[in-house]
PDB file of all heavy atoms in Angstrom:
ATOM      1  N   GLU A 595     151.389  41.148 108.081  1.00 87.00           N
ATOM      2  CA  GLU A 595     151.750  41.650 106.753  1.00 87.00           C
ATOM      3  C   GLU A 595     150.893  42.857 106.378  1.00 87.00           C
ATOM      4  O   GLU A 595     151.397  43.847 105.835  1.00 87.00           O
ATOM      5  CB  GLU A 595     151.592  40.536 105.714  1.00 87.00           C
ATOM      6  CG  GLU A 595     152.633  39.423 105.846  1.00 87.00           C
ATOM      7  CD  GLU A 595     152.342  38.242 104.945  1.00 87.00           C
ATOM      8  OE1 GLU A 595     151.225  38.207 104.377  1.00 87.00           O
ATOM      9  OE2 GLU A 595     153.209  37.363 104.823  1.00 87.00           O
ATOM     10  N   ALA A 596     149.596  42.782 106.693  1.00 83.00           N
ATOM     11  CA  ALA A 596     148.705  43.911 106.394  1.00 83.00           C
ATOM     12  C   ALA A 596     149.077  45.118 107.248  1.00 83.00           C
ATOM     13  O   ALA A 596     149.043  46.262 106.779  1.00 83.00           O
ATOM     14  CB  ALA A 596     147.248  43.502 106.651  1.00 83.00           C
ATOM     15  N   TRP A 597     149.440  44.881 108.501  1.00 80.00           N
ATOM     16  CA  TRP A 597     149.844  45.963 109.398  1.00 80.00           C
ATOM     17  C   TRP A 597     151.108  46.654 108.895  1.00 80.00           C
ATOM     18  O   TRP A 597     151.192  47.879 108.854  1.00 80.00           O
ATOM     19  CB  TRP A 597     150.057  45.398 110.797  1.00 80.00           C
ATOM     20  CG  TRP A 597     150.583  46.392 111.794  1.00 80.00           C
ATOM     21  CD1 TRP A 597     149.990  47.553 112.190  1.00 80.00           C
ATOM     22  CD2 TRP A 597     151.812  46.297 112.511  1.00 80.00           C
ATOM     23  NE1 TRP A 597     150.766  48.193 113.130  1.00 80.00           N
ATOM     24  CE2 TRP A 597     151.896  47.443 113.352  1.00 80.00           C
ATOM     25  CE3 TRP A 597     152.835  45.347 112.552  1.00 80.00           C
ATOM     26  CZ2 TRP A 597     152.977  47.660 114.199  1.00 80.00           C
ATOM     27  CZ3 TRP A 597     153.909  45.570 113.407  1.00 80.00           C
ATOM     28  CH2 TRP A 597     153.982  46.717 114.213  1.00 80.00           C
ATOM     29  N   ASN A 598     152.086  45.861 108.477  1.00 81.00           N
ATOM     30  CA  ASN A 598     153.328  46.428 107.950  1.00 81.00           C
ATOM     31  C   ASN A 598     153.074  47.220 106.665  1.00 81.00           C
ATOM     32  O   ASN A 598     153.721  48.236 106.402  1.00 81.00           O
ATOM     33  CB  ASN A 598     154.352  45.325 107.698  1.00 81.00           C
ATOM     34  CG  ASN A 598     154.943  44.786 108.989  1.00 81.00           C
ATOM     35  OD1 ASN A 598     155.133  45.539 109.945  1.00 81.00           O
ATOM     36  ND2 ASN A 598     155.237  43.493 109.029  1.00 81.00           N
ATOM     37  N   GLU A 599     152.119  46.730 105.865  1.00 79.00           N
ATOM     38  CA  GLU A 599     151.785  47.437 104.631  1.00 79.00           C
ATOM     39  C   GLU A 599     151.183  48.811 104.949  1.00 79.00           C
ATOM     40  O   GLU A 599     151.501  49.812 104.292  1.00 79.00           O
ATOM     41  CB  GLU A 599     150.806  46.609 103.805  1.00 79.00           C
ATOM     42  CG  GLU A 599     150.470  47.221 102.461  1.00 79.00           C
ATOM     43  CD  GLU A 599     149.526  46.337 101.652  1.00 79.00           C
ATOM     44  OE1 GLU A 599     149.315  45.173 102.041  1.00 79.00           O
ATOM     45  OE2 GLU A 599     149.013  46.827 100.635  1.00 79.00           O
ATOM     46  N   MET A 600     150.313  48.861 105.958  1.00 74.00           N
ATOM     47  CA  MET A 600     149.730  50.143 106.362  1.00 74.00           C
ATOM     48  C   MET A 600     150.808  51.102 106.853  1.00 74.00           C
ATOM     49  O   MET A 600     150.791  52.299 106.543  1.00 74.00           O
ATOM     50  CB  MET A 600     148.688  49.926 107.466  1.00 74.00           C
ATOM     51  CG  MET A 600     147.402  49.292 107.002  1.00 74.00           C
ATOM     52  SD  MET A 600     146.243  49.084 108.373  1.00 74.00           S
ATOM     53  CE  MET A 600     144.897  48.256 107.533  1.00 74.00           C
ATOM     54  N   ARG A 601     151.726  50.592 107.637  1.00 73.00           N
ATOM     55  CA  ARG A 601     152.809  51.452 108.124  1.00 73.00           C
ATOM     56  C   ARG A 601     153.645  51.972 106.969  1.00 73.00           C
ATOM     57  O   ARG A 601     154.086  53.123 106.964  1.00 73.00           O
ATOM     58  CB  ARG A 601     153.692  50.691 109.106  1.00 73.00           C
ATOM     59  CG  ARG A 601     153.023  50.376 110.437  1.00 73.00           C
ATOM     60  CD  ARG A 601     154.059  50.094 111.494  1.00 73.00           C
ATOM     61  NE  ARG A 601     154.987  49.047 111.083  1.00 73.00           N
ATOM     62  CZ  ARG A 601     156.118  48.759 111.726  1.00 73.00           C
ATOM     63  NH1 ARG A 601     156.460  49.465 112.782  1.00 73.00           N
ATOM     64  NH2 ARG A 601     156.902  47.786 111.299  1.00 73.00           N
ATOM     65  N   GLY A 602     153.876  51.094 105.974  1.00 75.00           N
ATOM     66  CA  GLY A 602     154.676  51.495 104.821  1.00 75.00           C
ATOM     67  C   GLY A 602     153.997  52.542 103.974  1.00 75.00           C
ATOM     68  O   GLY A 602     154.656  53.322 103.278  1.00 75.00           O
ATOM     69  N   LEU A 603     152.657  52.595 104.034  1.00 71.00           N
ATOM     70  CA  LEU A 603     151.910  53.583 103.263  1.00 71.00           C
ATOM     71  C   LEU A 603     151.830  54.934 103.977  1.00 71.00           C
ATOM     72  O   LEU A 603     151.196  55.863 103.475  1.00 71.00           O
ATOM     73  CB  LEU A 603     150.494  53.069 102.981  1.00 71.00           C
ATOM     74  CG  LEU A 603     150.408  51.851 102.042  1.00 71.00           C
ATOM     75  CD1 LEU A 603     148.972  51.338 101.973  1.00 71.00           C
ATOM     76  CD2 LEU A 603     150.913  52.205 100.654  1.00 71.00           C
ATOM     77  N   GLY A 604     152.454  55.012 105.149  1.00 70.00           N
ATOM     78  CA  GLY A 604     152.496  56.286 105.861  1.00 70.00           C
ATOM     79  C   GLY A 604     151.217  56.635 106.584  1.00 70.00           C
ATOM     80  O   GLY A 604     150.876  57.819 106.691  1.00 70.00           O
ATOM     81  N   ASP A 605     150.496  55.608 107.076  1.00 67.00           N
ATOM     82  CA  ASP A 605     149.259  55.863 107.824  1.00 67.00           C
ATOM     83  C   ASP A 605     149.401  55.227 109.206  1.00 67.00           C
ATOM     84  O   ASP A 605     148.782  54.197 109.497  1.00 67.00           O
ATOM     85  CB  ASP A 605     148.059  55.278 107.077  1.00 67.00           C
ATOM     86  CG  ASP A 605     146.731  55.757 107.663  1.00 67.00           C
ATOM     87  OD1 ASP A 605     146.760  56.394 108.730  1.00 67.00           O
ATOM     88  OD2 ASP A 605     145.688  55.485 107.053  1.00 67.00           O
ATOM     89  N   PRO A 606     150.207  55.833 110.094  1.00 71.00           N
ATOM     90  CA  PRO A 606     150.460  55.225 111.401  1.00 71.00           C
ATOM     91  C   PRO A 606     149.217  55.086 112.256  1.00 71.00           C
ATOM     92  O   PRO A 606     149.098  54.142 113.041  1.00 71.00           O
ATOM     93  CB  PRO A 606     151.475  56.180 112.045  1.00 71.00           C
ATOM     94  CG  PRO A 606     151.298  57.480 111.325  1.00 71.00           C
ATOM     95  CD  PRO A 606     150.915  57.116 109.928  1.00 71.00           C
ATOM     96  N   ALA A 607     148.272  56.010 112.128  1.00 70.00           N
ATOM     97  CA  ALA A 607     147.045  55.927 112.934  1.00 70.00           C
ATOM     98  C   ALA A 607     146.240  54.685 112.575  1.00 70.00           C
ATOM     99  O   ALA A 607     145.772  53.947 113.448  1.00 70.00           O
ATOM    100  CB  ALA A 607     146.204  57.183 112.725  1.00 70.00           C
ATOM    101  N   ALA A 608     146.087  54.446 111.264  1.00 67.00           N
ATOM    102  CA  ALA A 608     145.350  53.250 110.824  1.00 67.00           C
ATOM    103  C   ALA A 608     146.097  51.986 111.201  1.00 67.00           C
ATOM    104  O   ALA A 608     145.485  50.988 111.610  1.00 67.00           O
ATOM    105  CB  ALA A 608     145.135  53.313 109.317  1.00 67.00           C
ATOM    106  N   ALA A 609     147.427  52.038 111.088  1.00 67.00           N
ATOM    107  CA  ALA A 609     148.233  50.859 111.444  1.00 67.00           C
ATOM    108  C   ALA A 609     148.105  50.542 112.922  1.00 67.00           C
ATOM    109  O   ALA A 609     147.979  49.379 113.313  1.00 67.00           O
ATOM    110  CB  ALA A 609     149.696  51.104 111.075  1.00 67.00           C
ATOM    111  N   LYS A 610     148.114  51.574 113.770  1.00 69.00           N
ATOM    112  CA  LYS A 610     147.983  51.369 115.215  1.00 69.00           C
ATOM    113  C   LYS A 610     146.622  50.777 115.552  1.00 69.00           C
ATOM    114  O   LYS A 610     146.503  49.871 116.370  1.00 69.00           O
ATOM    115  CB  LYS A 610     148.187  52.690 115.939  1.00 69.00           C
ATOM    116  CG  LYS A 610     148.133  52.566 117.459  1.00 69.00           C
ATOM    117  CD  LYS A 610     148.390  53.908 118.124  1.00 69.00           C
ATOM    118  CE  LYS A 610     148.335  53.764 119.647  1.00 69.00           C
ATOM    119  NZ  LYS A 610     148.597  55.062 120.323  1.00 69.00           N
ATOM    120  N   LYS A 611     145.586  51.310 114.904  1.00 67.00           N
ATOM    121  CA  LYS A 611     144.234  50.806 115.149  1.00 67.00           C
ATOM    122  C   LYS A 611     144.097  49.361 114.683  1.00 67.00           C
ATOM    123  O   LYS A 611     143.475  48.532 115.346  1.00 67.00           O
ATOM    124  CB  LYS A 611     143.222  51.687 114.429  1.00 67.00           C
ATOM    125  CG  LYS A 611     141.775  51.368 114.755  1.00 67.00           C
ATOM    126  CD  LYS A 611     140.845  52.364 114.096  1.00 67.00           C
ATOM    127  CE  LYS A 611     139.394  52.065 114.450  1.00 67.00           C
ATOM    128  NZ  LYS A 611     138.470  53.036 113.805  1.00 67.00           N
ATOM    129  N   PHE A 612     144.706  49.050 113.554  1.00 68.00           N
ATOM    130  CA  PHE A 612     144.609  47.691 113.030  1.00 68.00           C
ATOM    131  C   PHE A 612     145.378  46.710 113.890  1.00 68.00           C
ATOM    132  O   PHE A 612     144.985  45.553 114.038  1.00 68.00           O
ATOM    133  CB  PHE A 612     145.141  47.644 111.595  1.00 68.00           C
ATOM    134  CG  PHE A 612     145.019  46.291 110.958  1.00 68.00           C
ATOM    135  CD1 PHE A 612     143.786  45.812 110.560  1.00 68.00           C
ATOM    136  CD2 PHE A 612     146.131  45.490 110.776  1.00 68.00           C
ATOM    137  CE1 PHE A 612     143.659  44.560 109.987  1.00 68.00           C
ATOM    138  CE2 PHE A 612     146.014  44.242 110.205  1.00 68.00           C
ATOM    139  CZ  PHE A 612     144.772  43.780 109.804  1.00 68.00           C
ATOM    140  N   LYS A 613     146.496  47.166 114.486  1.00 66.00           N
ATOM    141  CA  LYS A 613     147.261  46.284 115.356  1.00 66.00           C
ATOM    142  C   LYS A 613     146.413  45.808 116.524  1.00 66.00           C
ATOM    143  O   LYS A 613     146.543  44.685 116.995  1.00 66.00           O
ATOM    144  CB  LYS A 613     148.504  47.014 115.878  1.00 66.00           C
ATOM    145  CG  LYS A 613     149.435  46.125 116.683  1.00 66.00           C
ATOM    146  CD  LYS A 613     150.668  46.883 117.140  1.00 66.00           C
ATOM    147  CE  LYS A 613     151.600  45.962 117.923  1.00 66.00           C
ATOM    148  NZ  LYS A 613     152.817  46.680 118.404  1.00 66.00           N
ATOM    149  N   GLY A 614     145.501  46.650 116.973  1.00 68.00           N
ATOM    150  CA  GLY A 614     144.624  46.271 118.074  1.00 68.00           C
ATOM    151  C   GLY A 614     143.568  45.254 117.688  1.00 68.00           C
ATOM    152  O   GLY A 614     142.825  44.769 118.544  1.00 68.00           O
ATOM    153  N   ALA A 615     143.491  44.917 116.401  1.00 81.00           N
ATOM    154  CA  ALA A 615     142.487  43.946 115.944  1.00 81.00           C
ATOM    155  C   ALA A 615     142.963  42.507 116.112  1.00 81.00           C
ATOM    156  O   ALA A 615     142.227  41.579 115.773  1.00 81.00           O
ATOM    157  CB  ALA A 615     142.148  44.199 114.472  1.00 81.00           C
ATOM    158  N   ARG A 616     144.148  42.332 116.638  1.00 81.00           N
ATOM    159  CA  ARG A 616     144.729  40.984 116.694  1.00 81.00           C
ATOM    160  C   ARG A 616     143.806  39.994 117.404  1.00 81.00           C
ATOM    161  O   ARG A 616     143.510  38.919 116.872  1.00 81.00           O
ATOM    162  CB  ARG A 616     146.077  41.030 117.412  1.00 81.00           C
ATOM    163  CG  ARG A 616     146.752  39.665 117.444  1.00 81.00           C
ATOM    164  CD  ARG A 616     148.058  39.704 118.209  1.00 81.00           C
ATOM    165  NE  ARG A 616     148.720  38.421 118.118  1.00 81.00           N
ATOM    166  CZ  ARG A 616     149.426  37.881 119.095  1.00 81.00           C
ATOM    167  NH1 ARG A 616     149.559  38.523 120.243  1.00 81.00           N
ATOM    168  NH2 ARG A 616     149.995  36.703 118.950  1.00 81.00           N
ATOM    169  N   TRP A 617     143.340  40.344 118.608  1.00 83.00           N
ATOM    170  CA  TRP A 617     142.534  39.389 119.367  1.00 83.00           C
ATOM    171  C   TRP A 617     141.143  39.244 118.787  1.00 83.00           C
ATOM    172  O   TRP A 617     140.493  38.213 118.973  1.00 83.00           O
ATOM    173  CB  TRP A 617     142.487  39.802 120.839  1.00 83.00           C
ATOM    174  CG  TRP A 617     143.838  39.727 121.479  1.00 83.00           C
ATOM    175  CD1 TRP A 617     144.580  40.753 121.987  1.00 83.00           C
ATOM    176  CD2 TRP A 617     144.644  38.552 121.627  1.00 83.00           C
ATOM    177  NE1 TRP A 617     145.795  40.292 122.441  1.00 83.00           N
ATOM    178  CE2 TRP A 617     145.858  38.951 122.235  1.00 83.00           C
ATOM    179  CE3 TRP A 617     144.466  37.215 121.295  1.00 83.00           C
ATOM    180  CZ2 TRP A 617     146.882  38.054 122.520  1.00 83.00           C
ATOM    181  CZ3 TRP A 617     145.490  36.305 121.581  1.00 83.00           C
ATOM    182  CH2 TRP A 617     146.672  36.730 122.198  1.00 83.00           C
ATOM    183  N   SER A 618     140.678  40.249 118.081  1.00 86.00           N
ATOM    184  CA  SER A 618     139.384  40.112 117.395  1.00 86.00           C
ATOM    185  C   SER A 618     139.446  38.997 116.362  1.00 86.00           C
ATOM    186  O   SER A 618     138.459  38.298 116.112  1.00 86.00           O
ATOM    187  CB  SER A 618     139.003  41.434 116.711  1.00 86.00           C
ATOM    188  OG  SER A 618     138.894  42.467 117.652  1.00 86.00           O
ATOM    189  N   LEU A 619     140.616  38.819 115.749  1.00 88.00           N
ATOM    190  CA  LEU A 619     140.794  37.800 114.724  1.00 88.00           C
ATOM    191  C   LEU A 619     141.136  36.439 115.316  1.00 88.00           C
ATOM    192  O   LEU A 619     140.686  35.406 114.819  1.00 88.00           O
ATOM    193  CB  LEU A 619     141.904  38.225 113.758  1.00 88.00           C
ATOM    194  CG  LEU A 619     141.586  39.428 112.861  1.00 88.00           C
ATOM    195  CD1 LEU A 619     142.857  39.959 112.221  1.00 88.00           C
ATOM    196  CD2 LEU A 619     140.581  39.042 111.784  1.00 88.00           C
ATOM    197  N   LEU A 620     141.941  36.426 116.376  1.00 85.00           N
ATOM    198  CA  LEU A 620     142.480  35.156 116.870  1.00 85.00           C
ATOM    199  C   LEU A 620     141.586  34.478 117.905  1.00 85.00           C
ATOM    200  O   LEU A 620     141.608  33.256 118.031  1.00 85.00           O
ATOM    201  CB  LEU A 620     143.879  35.372 117.450  1.00 85.00           C
ATOM    202  CG  LEU A 620     144.953  35.814 116.447  1.00 85.00           C
ATOM    203  CD1 LEU A 620     146.296  35.997 117.146  1.00 85.00           C
ATOM    204  CD2 LEU A 620     145.082  34.811 115.308  1.00 85.00           C
ATOM    205  N   LYS A 621     140.813  35.252 118.657  1.00 87.00           N
ATOM    206  CA  LYS A 621     139.953  34.637 119.671  1.00 87.00           C
ATOM    207  C   LYS A 621     138.757  33.947 119.010  1.00 87.00           C
ATOM    208  O   LYS A 621     138.333  34.326 117.919  1.00 87.00           O
ATOM    209  CB  LYS A 621     139.458  35.698 120.657  1.00 87.00           C
ATOM    210  CG  LYS A 621     140.514  36.157 121.648  1.00 87.00           C
ATOM    211  CD  LYS A 621     140.029  37.308 122.502  1.00 87.00           C
ATOM    212  CE  LYS A 621     138.933  36.916 123.446  1.00 87.00           C
ATOM    213  NZ  LYS A 621     138.578  38.033 124.376  1.00 87.00           N
ATOM    214  N   ASN A 622     138.220  32.951 119.692  1.00 87.00           N
ATOM    215  CA  ASN A 622     137.002  32.312 119.200  1.00 87.00           C
ATOM    216  C   ASN A 622     135.849  33.323 119.246  1.00 87.00           C
ATOM    217  O   ASN A 622     135.759  34.115 120.194  1.00 87.00           O
ATOM    218  CB  ASN A 622     136.666  31.091 120.046  1.00 87.00           C
ATOM    219  CG  ASN A 622     137.728  30.014 119.935  1.00 87.00           C
ATOM    220  OD1 ASN A 622     138.534  30.025 119.006  1.00 87.00           O
ATOM    221  ND2 ASN A 622     137.758  29.105 120.892  1.00 87.00           N
ATOM    222  N   PRO A 623     134.979  33.325 118.247  1.00 87.00           N
ATOM    223  CA  PRO A 623     133.909  34.330 118.185  1.00 87.00           C
ATOM    224  C   PRO A 623     133.081  34.418 119.457  1.00 87.00           C
ATOM    225  O   PRO A 623     132.664  35.498 119.860  1.00 87.00           O
ATOM    226  CB  PRO A 623     133.068  33.871 116.996  1.00 87.00           C
ATOM    227  CG  PRO A 623     134.002  33.082 116.146  1.00 87.00           C
ATOM    228  CD  PRO A 623     134.949  32.408 117.100  1.00 87.00           C
ATOM    229  N   GLU A 624     132.825  33.266 120.097  1.00 88.00           N
ATOM    230  CA  GLU A 624     131.975  33.272 121.293  1.00 88.00           C
ATOM    231  C   GLU A 624     132.667  33.911 122.494  1.00 88.00           C
ATOM    232  O   GLU A 624     132.010  34.198 123.514  1.00 88.00           O
ATOM    233  CB  GLU A 624     131.535  31.845 121.642  1.00 88.00           C
ATOM    234  CG  GLU A 624     132.669  30.882 121.966  1.00 88.00           C
ATOM    235  CD  GLU A 624     133.223  30.183 120.735  1.00 88.00           C
ATOM    236  OE1 GLU A 624     132.985  30.661 119.615  1.00 88.00           O
ATOM    237  OE2 GLU A 624     133.898  29.149 120.918  1.00 88.00           O
ATOM    238  N   ASN A 625     133.976  34.134 122.398  1.00 87.00           N
ATOM    239  CA  ASN A 625     134.720  34.716 123.524  1.00 87.00           C
ATOM    240  C   ASN A 625     135.052  36.189 123.325  1.00 87.00           C
ATOM    241  O   ASN A 625     135.739  36.791 124.154  1.00 87.00           O
ATOM    242  CB  ASN A 625     136.021  33.936 123.747  1.00 87.00           C
ATOM    243  CG  ASN A 625     135.772  32.491 124.141  1.00 87.00           C
ATOM    244  OD1 ASN A 625     134.759  32.188 124.778  1.00 87.00           O
ATOM    245  ND2 ASN A 625     136.657  31.603 123.768  1.00 87.00           N
ATOM    246  N   LEU A 626     134.575  36.791 122.241  1.00 88.00           N
ATOM    247  CA  LEU A 626     134.905  38.181 121.951  1.00 88.00           C
ATOM    248  C   LEU A 626     134.158  39.140 122.880  1.00 88.00           C
ATOM    249  O   LEU A 626     133.005  38.900 123.254  1.00 88.00           O
ATOM    250  CB  LEU A 626     134.543  38.519 120.505  1.00 88.00           C
ATOM    251  CG  LEU A 626     135.331  37.824 119.392  1.00 88.00           C
ATOM    252  CD1 LEU A 626     134.772  38.220 118.038  1.00 88.00           C
ATOM    253  CD2 LEU A 626     136.809  38.146 119.474  1.00 88.00           C
ATOM    254  N   THR A 627     134.825  40.220 123.242  1.00 88.00           N
ATOM    255  CA  THR A 627     134.132  41.300 123.938  1.00 88.00           C
ATOM    256  C   THR A 627     133.287  42.062 122.915  1.00 88.00           C
ATOM    257  O   THR A 627     133.421  41.862 121.703  1.00 88.00           O
ATOM    258  CB  THR A 627     135.140  42.264 124.580  1.00 88.00           C
ATOM    259  OG1 THR A 627     135.910  42.896 123.538  1.00 88.00           O
ATOM    260  CG2 THR A 627     136.089  41.523 125.515  1.00 88.00           C
ATOM    261  N   ASP A 628     132.425  42.947 123.397  1.00 89.00           N
ATOM    262  CA  ASP A 628     131.584  43.729 122.478  1.00 89.00           C
ATOM    263  C   ASP A 628     132.448  44.566 121.539  1.00 89.00           C
ATOM    264  O   ASP A 628     132.152  44.672 120.337  1.00 89.00           O
ATOM    265  CB  ASP A 628     130.646  44.643 123.278  1.00 89.00           C
ATOM    266  CG  ASP A 628     129.573  43.857 124.022  1.00 89.00           C
ATOM    267  OD1 ASP A 628     129.360  42.685 123.665  1.00 89.00           O
ATOM    268  OD2 ASP A 628     128.982  44.412 124.958  1.00 89.00           O
ATOM    269  N   GLU A 629     133.505  45.156 122.072  1.00 87.00           N
ATOM    270  CA  GLU A 629     134.382  45.987 121.241  1.00 87.00           C
ATOM    271  C   GLU A 629     135.105  45.150 120.195  1.00 87.00           C
ATOM    272  O   GLU A 629     135.237  45.554 119.033  1.00 87.00           O
ATOM    273  CB  GLU A 629     135.403  46.705 122.121  1.00 87.00           C
ATOM    274  CG  GLU A 629     136.306  47.656 121.352  1.00 87.00           C
ATOM    275  CD  GLU A 629     137.279  48.404 122.245  1.00 87.00           C
ATOM    276  OE1 GLU A 629     137.174  48.265 123.482  1.00 87.00           O
ATOM    277  OE2 GLU A 629     138.141  49.116 121.716  1.00 87.00           O
ATOM    278  N   GLN A 630     135.573  43.968 120.589  1.00 87.00           N
ATOM    279  CA  GLN A 630     136.259  43.091 119.642  1.00 87.00           C
ATOM    280  C   GLN A 630     135.305  42.594 118.561  1.00 87.00           C
ATOM    281  O   GLN A 630     135.681  42.498 117.388  1.00 87.00           O
ATOM    282  CB  GLN A 630     136.885  41.922 120.394  1.00 87.00           C
ATOM    283  CG  GLN A 630     138.071  42.322 121.253  1.00 87.00           C
ATOM    284  CD  GLN A 630     138.479  41.231 122.236  1.00 87.00           C
ATOM    285  OE1 GLN A 630     137.728  40.290 122.500  1.00 87.00           O
ATOM    286  NE2 GLN A 630     139.685  41.357 122.773  1.00 87.00           N
ATOM    287  N   ALA A 631     134.069  42.283 118.948  1.00 89.00           N
ATOM    288  CA  ALA A 631     133.076  41.843 117.967  1.00 89.00           C
ATOM    289  C   ALA A 631     132.783  42.961 116.965  1.00 89.00           C
ATOM    290  O   ALA A 631     132.611  42.706 115.762  1.00 89.00           O
ATOM    291  CB  ALA A 631     131.794  41.408 118.675  1.00 89.00           C
ATOM    292  N   SER A 632     132.727  44.202 117.456  1.00 88.00           N
ATOM    293  CA  SER A 632     132.507  45.343 116.567  1.00 88.00           C
ATOM    294  C   SER A 632     133.665  45.493 115.582  1.00 88.00           C
ATOM    295  O   SER A 632     133.449  45.745 114.390  1.00 88.00           O
ATOM    296  CB  SER A 632     132.356  46.620 117.399  1.00 88.00           C
ATOM    297  OG  SER A 632     132.241  47.754 116.556  1.00 88.00           O
ATOM    298  N   THR A 633     134.895  45.312 116.079  1.00 84.00           N
ATOM    299  CA  THR A 633     136.065  45.387 115.206  1.00 84.00           C
ATOM    300  C   THR A 633     136.010  44.308 114.142  1.00 84.00           C
ATOM    301  O   THR A 633     136.320  44.554 112.964  1.00 84.00           O
ATOM    302  CB  THR A 633     137.359  45.234 116.032  1.00 84.00           C
ATOM    303  OG1 THR A 633     137.438  46.300 116.984  1.00 84.00           O
ATOM    304  CG2 THR A 633     138.593  45.269 115.135  1.00 84.00           C
ATOM    305  N   LEU A 634     135.586  43.105 114.535  1.00 87.00           N
ATOM    306  CA  LEU A 634     135.495  42.003 113.577  1.00 87.00           C
ATOM    307  C   LEU A 634     134.465  42.300 112.488  1.00 87.00           C
ATOM    308  O   LEU A 634     134.690  41.986 111.320  1.00 87.00           O
ATOM    309  CB  LEU A 634     135.148  40.710 114.318  1.00 87.00           C
ATOM    310  CG  LEU A 634     135.241  39.421 113.491  1.00 87.00           C
ATOM    311  CD1 LEU A 634     136.680  39.188 113.032  1.00 87.00           C
ATOM    312  CD2 LEU A 634     134.739  38.232 114.289  1.00 87.00           C
TER     313      LEU A 634
END
């Protein structure tokens, strides 16, 4: 829903970057890569 809202606001770059946050949110914290932990 947040991703669709960003797209609707006309910010495709932010929406694309936020779409990549999916695994940062869904994976268990102890299994995150350094990049995913930074995103979180």
